[in-house]
């Protein structure tokens, strides 16, 4: 399954007000963000706007992948089947800023390599209906990309505040 929205869908053509973000800064100076800072509720905001379209995974493939990550893809124990989400652009950029430390931890447990890849966020650019922010893990560029762009990867987050240890 691809990670991009088809051009003829509601999701592609809609500016979701509750998940919009703005970026300030540059690769050289670093970025700051306003608006959508936490991605945990972004899928719910999309579902509330397009209750019929969200039933079809191809309309929101990256969101669908994240939402179903624990149960559909890795059959994690029931405690962690739910609660997965696509990070906001602010959260994703924080991963980039800390990728060296995070990569060491991932390597220690046999996890994946961030590599020099481009990753999708769940934050919609406030400047265009069809734009979503992504972060390049090469130099940390934050760019506004079309929702139909076939390139890129996703990182899923889990809200650990939902569980007691």
């Amino acid at each position: 399954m691809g990670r991009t929205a088809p051009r003829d869908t509601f999701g592609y053509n809609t500016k979701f007000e509750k998940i919009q973000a703005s970026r300030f800064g540059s690769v050289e100076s670093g970025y700051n963000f306003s608006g959508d800072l936490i991605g945990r509720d972004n899928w719910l905001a999309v579902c509330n706007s397009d209750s019929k379209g969200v039933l079809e995974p191809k309309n929101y493939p990256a969101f669908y992948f994240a939402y179903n990550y624990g149960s559909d893809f890795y059959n994690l124990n029931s405690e962690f089947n739910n609660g997965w989400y696509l990070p906001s652009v602010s959260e994703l950029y924080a991963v980039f800023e800390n990728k060296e430390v995070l990569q060491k931890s991932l390597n220690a447990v046999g996890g994946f390599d961030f590599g020099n890849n481009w990753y999708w966020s769940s934050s919609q650019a406030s400047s265009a209906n069809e734009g979503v922010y992504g972060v390049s893990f090469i130099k940390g560029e934050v760019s506004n990309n079309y929702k139909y762009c076939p390139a890129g990867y996703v990182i899923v987050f889990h809200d650990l505040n939902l569980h007691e240890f």
Side-chain angles (χ1 to χ4, degrees), residues 111-145:
F112 75 97
D113 186 342
F114 289 119
N116 291 326
N117 297 310
W118 184 87
Y119 292 92
W120 290 93
S121 81
S122 62
S123 299
Q124 186 165 2
S126 58
S127 60
N129 291 5
E130 64 280 348
V132 175
Y133 283 117
V135 177
S136 166
F137 274 46
I138 298 170
K139 293 183 181 178
E141 179 182 3
V142 177
S143 57
N144 176 2
N145 299 283

Side-chain angles (χ1 to χ4, degrees), residues 42-103:
N42 288 359
W43 179 229
L44 180 60
V46 170
C47 290
N48 287 337
S49 296
D50 186 15
S51 60
K52 291 182 182 175
V54 296
L55 299 176
E56 182 60 51
K58 73 177 177 84
N59 292 339
Y60 300 96
F63 277 112
Y64 183 83
F65 175 84
Y67 184 76
N68 293 289
Y69 179 79
S71 58
D72 284 1
F73 299 99
Y74 287 99
N75 294 314
L76 301 173
N77 69 44
S78 61
E79 186 177 355
F80 290 101
N81 279 357
N82 300 310
W84 296 94
Y85 66 93
L86 285 178
S88 70
V89 66
S90 177
E91 291 170 314
L92 187 57
Y93 187 70
V95 172
F96 167 76
E97 289 185 307
N98 295 286
K99 80 174 188 175
E100 289 181 25
V101 171
L102 293 169
Q103 190 62 67

